[in-house]
Amino acid sequence: MFSKETYIARRNQLRKDVGQGIIIIQGNHEASCNYPDNTYYFRQDSTFLYFFGLQREDLIGVLDCDNGQDYLFANDYDIDDIIWTGPLPSVADLAASVGVTNSGSLADLQVFCNKGIAQARRIHYLPPYRADNKLQLSKLLGMKPCAIDKYASMDLIKACVKQRSIKSAEEIAEIEKAIATAYNMHVGAMKMAMPGRYEYELAGFMEGQAWMGNGPLSFPVIMTIHGETLHNHNHNHKLELGRMLVMDAGCETEMNYCSDITRSVPVGGKFNDRQRTIYEIVLNANLEAARVTRPGITYQEVHTAASRVLAQGYKDLGILKGNLDDIVANGAHSLLMPHGLGHMMGLDVHDMENYGQINVGYDDEIRPSEQFGLGSLRCGRRLQPGFVITDEPGCYFIPALIDKWHAEGTNKEFINFDELEKWKDFGGIRIEDDILVTDTGCRVLGKPIPKTVAEIEATMAE
């Protein structure tokens, strides 16, 4: 954990930003896998971690905006638990460790909520993303489960987004720990990417490296020679010469801060001419996005800058045609990149998206586009120093999508479908870094992971 003063300051700021009422912040519960006693790996709720920092299950934090008090509620372990878990701190001790002076049982919490409801006090909570938390809130507040999402507090959502969007120096240090482990994951997997191996061998290696860094994966590994499928979690293909291998993987630290890195490498360690051509187009887009990222610019504008580089590269190949401005304005290039450039990252790999992605990536000034591709940009808002965001352009030759646009004549004035037909067997490429917006620009976080053609070939030759 960080120091208790960090969590006290965060809670004080949250109370100030919300203004009045009671704030309920639920921790997560154990979740059964295939029978009650066999549970999934426990992952604490990120908002609870941000404001309370405690990893135990079944905790609930309460902030009273009107009297300036914080509370921690949970049931203490009894002897039947301790037989299996060993000695564990009491709820009061846990509370004290993060600067909370008031604690009680879950029965005490119910009394607290009943009193607040009787006094007609406003009760703020976030939209639950787990059914057990929704049912718990339903009981605490005397509401039907189907009504819980409707009455989630937008004031609390906005206050949390405002605070968590700006990463402190100690948070950046944690993210860079996660990237240091991701370096080992990706560099090791690059060296394994030889003909005859299976994707699952490399995916398993990556997960093992994540745990060697003392944390789990931050999301299921994407490891595939069919990179044209954006989130391909099938790891059963044998690696073959002539295929590009897309490796999208990250991990969490012990404190659950995340990394999210993608590298695309040629099976066997040497780029052929076709692979090098597409790879360098995508790499140039990745570099352009980092070059223009700075405070004050919107990430929609950064996405468009990267898109212009992609479109120009495809035009030089004869895949696209016509005026570059018109190509980008009409989204013709999005046939080959139907996703956005990136997303916020921190305690969540898609940071805070449990609050509603539109509340995190957009605001009253910047709204999502309706254009194909650009409309999938998860974060388009104006950038501020302290934002951590992913920079992940890609190129994907998706046969079904190409055939659909061809049959419907979509953007036919800008697309040379006869030339595009030659690329339908290529697969895909994505290159992703985690970047910090600084006072004057940005910097790529962490130890540099091989990214140029020369760096990748040299690494894979080891």
Side-chain angles (χ1 to χ4, degrees):
M1 293 191 302
F2 298 132
S3 70
K4 68 179 179 181
E5 288 75 19
T6 293
Y7 299 107
I8 291 170
R10 288 173 174 180
R11 295 193 300 267
N12 287 342
Q13 185 63 52
L14 184 63
R15 276 196 303 269
K16 179 180 177 181
D17 289 340
V18 173
Q20 62 176 338
I22 298 167
I23 300 169
I24 296 176
I25 300 178
Q26 295 174 282
N28 279 336
H29 311 280
E30 294 261 339
S32 296
C33 177
N34 56 340
Y35 59 89
D37 289 335
N38 188 26
T39 60
Y40 290 103
Y41 171 79
F42 176 72
R43 175 46 157 93
Q44 184 61 283
D45 174 77
S46 294
T47 307
F48 188 89
L49 284 173
Y50 186 83
F51 291 107
F52 289 91
L54 298 167
Q55 292 283 2
R56 211 204 91 166
E57 73 284 354
D58 301 333
L59 299 172
I60 298 185
V62 173
L63 286 64
D64 193 320
C65 298
D66 303 315
N67 68 14
Q69 295 292 306
D70 298 334
Y71 303 80
L72 185 70
F73 294 100
N75 294 330
D76 279 317
Y77 291 110
D78 60 23
I79 190 62
D80 289 334
D81 299 309
I82 292 169
I83 289 170
W84 298 98
T85 64
L88 291 170
S90 68
V91 176
D93 288 341
L94 288 173
S97 72
V98 291
V100 176
T101 57
N102 306 291
S103 63
S105 68
L106 293 179
D108 295 329
L109 174 60
Q110 185 67 69
V111 172
F112 185 97
C113 289
N114 291 345
K115 182 178 178 181
I117 293 167
Q119 294 173 338
R121 300 183 67 191
R122 186 169 179 200
I123 299 179
H124 303 269
Y125 61 85
L126 298 165
Y129 54 90
R130 286 189 172 189
D132 50 5
N133 275 344
K134 183 175 290 190
L135 292 173
Q136 184 180 51
L137 270 180
S138 171
K139 180 181 178 182
L140 287 172
L141 303 181
M143 298 168 59
K144 292 182 178 179
C146 60
I148 290 293
D149 288 344
K150 179 180 178 181
Y151 292 102
S153 171
M154 186 55 66
D155 289 341
L156 180 56
I157 288 171
K158 288 182 177 180
C160 288
V161 170
K162 174 186 173 184
Q163 198 168 339
R164 287 182 59 190
S165 292
I166 308 298
K167 305 300 186 291
S168 67
E170 57 189 358
E171 289 183 285
I172 297 302
E174 280 296 310
I175 292 170
E176 292 201 294
K177 284 183 188 177
I179 297 172
T181 300
Y183 177 97
N184 297 333
M185 294 165 65
H186 280 271
V187 169
M190 285 181 190
K191 296 176 182 180
M192 294 173 66
M194 298 298 156
R197 284 193 178 272
Y198 284 85
E199 295 163 345
Y200 58 75
E201 297 179 68
L202 280 67
F205 168 83
M206 281 190 155
E207 184 163 3
Q209 287 295 308
W211 281 112
M212 287 183 70
N214 201 21
L217 295 169
S218 50
F219 59 95
V221 172
I222 298 164
M223 173 72 66
T224 181
I225 57 173
H226 287 282
E228 72 278 9
T229 303
L230 303 184
H231 282 183
N232 194 335
H233 297 298
N234 178 356
H235 299 150
N236 291 321
H237 300 106
K238 182 184 287 188
L239 305 192
E240 300 173 353
L241 281 175
R243 302 293 303 186
M244 289 296 299
L245 177 67
V246 175
M247 307 186 297
D248 188 345
C251 61
E252 296 187 359
T253 66
E254 185 181 11
M255 292 177 61
N256 297 110
Y257 283 87
C258 298
S259 58
D260 182 4
I261 302 293
T262 308
R263 290 295 183 262
S264 300
V265 301
V267 174
K270 288 288 185 181
F271 288 85
N272 62 35
D273 290 342
R274 294 175 85 215
Q275 291 171 337
R276 183 181 297 104
T277 296
I278 299 299
Y279 187 89
E280 290 187 337
I281 291 172
V282 177
L283 178 60
N284 288 337
N286 169 275
L287 296 173
E288 176 68 4
R291 187 187 72 82
V292 303
T293 294
R294 62 187 185 275
I297 194 172
T298 71
Y299 216 54
Q300 277 185 338
E301 293 172 314
V302 179
H303 174 103
T304 299
S307 296
R308 290 179 64 85
V309 172
L310 294 172
Q312 183 63 60
Y314 304 147
K315 185 179 175 184
D316 293 343
L317 279 179
I319 292 172
L320 298 182
K321 56 187 178 180
N323 178 270
L324 182 64
D325 291 337
D326 293 336
I327 290 171
V328 175
N330 285 276
H333 64 287
S334 298
L335 172 62
L336 302 183
M337 192 179 90
H339 64 74
L341 181 65
H343 51 80
M344 300 279 272
M345 196 188 74
L347 272 169
D348 308 298
V349 70
H350 281 210
D351 210 26
M352 301 174 283
E353 288 193 6
N354 58 299
Y355 304 158
Q357 180 259 324
I358 195 169
N359 297 319
V360 178
Y362 294 88
D363 53 25
D364 293 339
E365 179 199 7
I366 309 298
R367 305 305 295 169
S369 169
E370 295 183 358
Q371 186 185 84
F372 182 83
L374 180 57
S376 296
L377 178 62
R378 305 194 73 81
C379 181
R381 60 192 280 208
R382 200 168 297 281
L383 300 178
Q384 301 174 47
F387 281 19
V388 174
I389 200 162
T390 62
D391 168 12
E392 48 179 310
C395 175
Y396 317 89
F397 295 93
I398 306 170
L401 183 59
I402 293 169
D403 291 345
K404 183 177 187 294
W405 278 34
H406 194 182
E408 295 173 354
T410 304
N411 280 315
K412 63 182 180 180
E413 61 270 39
F414 303 115
I415 300 173
N416 184 344
F417 284 102
D418 289 339
E419 181 63 27
L420 192 55
E421 196 72 21
K422 304 173 186 176
W423 293 89
K424 285 169 65 175
D425 64 342
F426 183 89
I429 288 173
R430 181 164 60 254
I431 305 171
E432 178 182 17
D433 296 315
D434 304 329
I435 60 178
L436 169 68
V437 181
T438 65
D439 289 336
T440 57
C442 75
R443 71 177 176 91
V444 177
L445 291 172
K447 182 179 179 180
I449 299 171
K451 187 165 70 171
T452 68
V453 167
E455 290 168 347
I456 288 172
E457 289 188 341
T459 299
M460 296 182 72
E462 293 179 9

